[in-house]
Amino acid sequence: MPHLLIVDDSKLMRDMIAACLRPCEGLTFEHAASGLEAIERLSLQRFDLIVLDLNMPDIGGVEVVEFIRGQDKLRALPILIVTTRGDETSRAAVLAAGASRYMTKPFQPDQILAEVRGLLAGPGA
Amino acid sequence: MTEPVDLREFLAGFLAEADEILRGAHACLLAIEASARKGASSPRAVRDLYRALHTLKGLAGMVGVEPIVDLAHAMETVVRLADRQAGLLSTAAVDLCLQGLQAIEDRVRQLAADKTVSAAPAALLAALAAWLLFALPCNLAAGNILSLTMPYHINPGRIAGQPGSQSSRLTAMLIQAGTLAVGAAVESLCWSLEKQWLAVPILLVLAVAAFLVWKRVLGNVDAMALERRDELIATLMKVQ
C-alpha cells in the first residue's frame, strides 16, 4: 500500500492534494507543514513518494530535495514538486537538485493524479 | 470507483485560510511601514509578506478565484523585488500593497456572501506594474555594474544567503534605496495632489529612461569586463 508524504505550509493545500489523489485507491498519507517537519518524518518512516512545495517557512523545498538525495536510504524516493513558482530558474534549480517531476499550481485533479500514478509505477512502467 | 474531486468544495476552507493569511500580511505591512518611516529595512517582514501573498495566490488559483490571483500576483512581484534587495520597501509601495490587501479582502467578502467576485482594480494593477517597470531596470543596471566592480562568487542553486561582498551589498542597498525614494516621491506627490492615476504615466516615463540606462550598461559590459579582467579573475579565485 503506497505511503505518501505531502509537504506544504498550507493545510488547505495539503487537504486539496490528498483529495485530488482520492481516486488512486490504496494510498495512505501523512502531512508535514514545513521542510523541517518533512525531514523529521523522512528520517523516522518509510515513504513511497513525497509531494513537496518549494516555498516554506523554515527549510525550503530545494533544501529538502538536497537532503533526500544526500541520504543513501532515500536516494531512490520519487519527489513530485508542486509549486506556484512557474519560472524556469526555480524549475531548473530543483530538478538539478534531484526532484523527479515538477508541476505548477493551480493544477487540475487529473494532472496530479497522473503524475503520482506515473511516479509510483516507476521509471520502467 | 471514486469520483474525481471538485476543488470548489474547498471554498469554505479557502475563506478561512485567506482570512488568516490576510491578517498576517496586514501585520507584516504595518511592521514594514514602521521600519520604512525610520529609513530602515525589514527583511523578515518582507519575506513573510512575500510568502503570505505567494500562498494566497496558489490557494486562490486552486479554487478558481482569478481576481484574487491577479492582485496577489501583482503585489507578490513588487514584494519579491524588495525581498531580493535586503527587505527595502518604500512607504509608497506599502500604501499600494495596503490598497491591494483591501481589494483582496473585499473580494474574499464577496465570495463569502456568494456574490460575483469583482475583477481586480485595473488602476491598482497598473500602479503596481508601473512601479515595478521603473524599479526593475534600475536594479538590473546596478547589478550588472556591481558584478564587475565588486564581484563575488555565486552558486546559482543557492543564491539565498550567499556570503557576498559586504561593500557590494551595501552599495546595492543604497541604489535600491535611491530607486525607492524616487518611486516614493512620485507616488507621494500624486497622492497629495489626489491624482493617483498620474503616478502611472510618470513611472512609465521613468521606466523607459531606466531601461535605456540599463541597455547602455549592457552594451558596455564587455568593455568593462575586459578592462578589469585581471582584477576580476583574482577576486573570484580568492573568494571561491
Side-chain angles (χ1 to χ4, degrees), chain B residues 49-58 72 75-76 79 101 104:
Chain B
L49 177 62
Y50 167 69
R51 280 194 45 252
L53 293 167
H54 187 78
T55 302
L56 188 62
K57 183 178 82 169
M75 292 165 65
E76 179 198 18
V79 175
L101 278 191
I104 292 176

Side-chain angles (χ1 to χ4, degrees), chain B residues 106-179:
Chain B
D106 292 345
R107 279 147 188 83
V108 169
R109 273 200 293 273
Q110 288 171 341
L111 199 61
D114 213 13
K115 292 180 183 166
T116 306
V117 179
S118 312
L124 182 60
L125 293 183
L128 286 164
W131 189 88
L132 192 70
L133 278 173
F134 161 63
L136 201 59
C138 288
N139 285 281
L140 288 171
N144 288 142
I145 294 170
L146 286 175
S147 67
L148 293 173
T149 52
M150 299 175 194
Y152 57 88
H153 180 69
I154 289 176
N155 173 354
R158 286 182 155 271
I159 286 174
Q162 195 71 217
S165 147
Q166 291 303 314
S167 53
S168 175
R169 282 190 167 187
L170 182 65
T171 313
M173 276 180 68
L174 290 173
I175 289 167
Q176 174 71 357
T179 313

Side-chain angles (χ1 to χ4, degrees), chain A residues 9-10 12 55 66 84 106, chain B residues 17 51 54 57 61-62 158:
Chain A
D9 55 334
S10 161
L12 181 63
N55 250 8
E66 285 170 346
T84 316
Chain B
E17 197 153 320
R51 280 194 45 252
H54 187 78
K57 183 178 82 169
M62 290 300 290
R158 286 182 155 271

Side-chain angles (χ1 to χ4, degrees), chain A residues 9-13 15-16 19-20 22-23 25 55-57 63 66 83-85 87 90 105-107 109-110, chain B residues 1-5 7 9-10 13-14 17 50-51 54-55 57-59 61-63 66 80 156-158:
Chain A
D9 55 334
S10 161
K11 182 185 180 304
L12 181 63
M13 189 60 78
D15 289 345
M16 284 190 202
C20 290
R22 227 185 278 146
E25 282 167 23
N55 250 8
M56 286 180 290
E63 285 76 16
E66 285 170 346
T83 176
T84 316
R85 285 193 211 164
D87 60 289
S90 300
K105 303 170 191 168
F107 52 81
D110 286 352
Chain B
M1 185 173 162
T2 316
E3 286 294 309
V5 66
L7 291 173
E9 286 171 21
F10 289 92
F14 172 74
E17 197 153 320
Y50 167 69
R51 280 194 45 252
H54 187 78
T55 302
K57 183 178 82 169
L59 292 174
M62 290 300 290
V63 292
E66 291 307 319
R80 189 173 198 187
R158 286 182 155 271

